[in-house]
Amino acid sequence: MAAPAYPAWVTRWVSGQWRNKKRPPALRPPRTLALADKVANRREQPTEATCITEMSVMMACWKQNDFNDAPCAEEIRTFYDCVAKAEKERKNQNEDTLSSRGNLPSSKVNKLLKRFPQITRYV
Amino acid sequence: MAAPSAAGLGQRLRAWLPRIIPVRWSRYNPSYLEPEVKKELYQKPSEELTEEEREQMELKVVRPIKAAPPSLSSSVFSDPMISKFTNMMMKSGNKVLARSLMSQTLEAIKRKQLEKYHKAPENEKETIECNPYVIFHQALKNCQPIIGLSNITKGGKTYQVPVPLTDNRKRFLAMKWLITECRENKHRRTLMPEKLSQELLLAFNNEGPVIKKKHVLHKMAEANRAYAHFRWW
């Protein structure tokens, strides 16, 4: 009798390859294993409030002096300076550089990645 | 070929639209320059001009100039704060009335201060300020709030958060408070110049209802200082 034509899985099972871990790969990636040209949309954390220390110092001075402005002139001046500096900082902050926390929002990252996409094929 | 002409058409349509849709601002070509109001600049001989002023003069030879608005004046008597206050007092465009009220107010301030001056003993005469413009500016400065409150909604609840104010907003609030105080909380038959002069003199001395309103705002900001972290700017 010729060699019986068993299906391939029978032979593989009988030989014990399946149990010795010679299996087809368990992980079958549904997508190609390559970096995409976009980042997931992440909710941007709000920046912190500026000039809180100066404000609290000024309010402490107010509490002591019954909300008169004349004795607290120095604190008020420092508060105004801090506010002006923060305002200038906000104006000068270019959108394309990193924010004060060192993160780029996901929309800008996506724009940059779109300009320089991943090369998938060479011609 | 259709793509570039479509983009050009779109741009031309957008540039043309304001001509059929009425716009309420005065729209000039960006090449138009602002009019120069200071007379001293033109009276200076050309050697004294700095580099930027020289460049500016040369630019003015070739560029067109915008029409000067009627509120802009080169007179020594014009004051932008007083003009702003007059405009805020104006009702239904009656600038003539608002301006006359403003001049009557300044006159009333001067009269009251002169009366005080002549009645005061010799040693106190220097301390009395008689210039109504100085009194007006100082009173406005005393009325300006330093910190304001803004409504910020977080987690479904609205909080009053202390927030720094811009200069324009402070000036506006001071003027608005003065005018509303005069219009609403006084006797019906007193005239506006009298009420305003009284309020301005009180504010000059850091007394009066407007200063009290400012203090109330500061107290509320101080009470809510725990919410200051809700701000994100």
Side-chain angles (χ1 to χ4, degrees), chain B residues 20-176:
Chain B
I20 49 164
I21 297 170
V23 288
R24 285 188 69 199
W25 65 85
S26 57
R27 193 168 162 276
Y28 286 103
N29 193 306
S31 62
Y32 276 66
L33 300 172
E34 297 287 335
E36 178 62 60
V37 178
K38 289 194 299 208
K39 283 190 273 201
E40 292 88 21
L41 195 63
Y42 293 112
Q43 285 162 356
K44 270 203 272 191
S46 54
E47 289 79 29
E48 281 182 30
L49 296 173
T50 60
E51 275 311 308
E52 305 112 17
E53 283 169 355
R54 238 181 273 261
E55 278 169 33
Q56 194 73 7
M57 290 293 232
E58 274 163 37
L59 197 61
K60 277 195 198 157
V61 173
V62 284
R63 294 276 192 92
I65 315 264
K66 295 188 196 176
S71 52
L72 198 62
S73 144
S74 61
S75 149
V76 292
F77 302 110
S78 69
D79 188 354
M81 288 263 254
I82 301 247
S83 320
K84 194 60 108 181
F85 196 78
T86 330
N87 288 341
M88 283 182 74
M89 268 210 294
M90 176 166 64
K91 277 186 175 173
S92 351
N94 196 346
K95 182 78 148 252
V96 174
L97 182 62
R99 218 175 134 179
S100 69
L101 286 176
M102 192 71 221
S103 52
Q104 283 170 36
T105 313
L106 294 170
E107 191 194 329
I109 294 176
K110 180 91 188 190
R111 278 183 194 270
K112 288 184 187 172
Q113 290 298 94
L114 275 179
E115 206 184 312
K116 255 203 275 190
Y117 180 85
H118 288 301
K119 283 196 190 147
E122 279 305 321
N123 50 353
E124 279 175 29
K125 281 204 167 156
E126 285 98 36
T127 55
I128 298 179
E129 180 60 54
C130 283
N131 188 349
Y133 293 94
V134 167
I135 292 184
F136 178 79
H137 284 262
Q138 187 59 40
L140 262 190
K141 218 164 114 185
N142 290 347
C143 287
Q144 283 180 6
I146 292 164
I147 201 168
L149 291 170
S150 99
N151 295 353
I152 291 186
T153 321
K154 197 151 175 164
K157 276 177 73 171
T158 337
Y159 300 97
Q160 298 273 38
V161 174
V163 108
L165 300 167
T166 56
D167 278 332
N168 285 343
R169 179 85 187 146
K170 286 182 206 151
R171 273 195 291 260
F172 170 77
L173 278 175
M175 291 193 212
K176 188 86 187 168

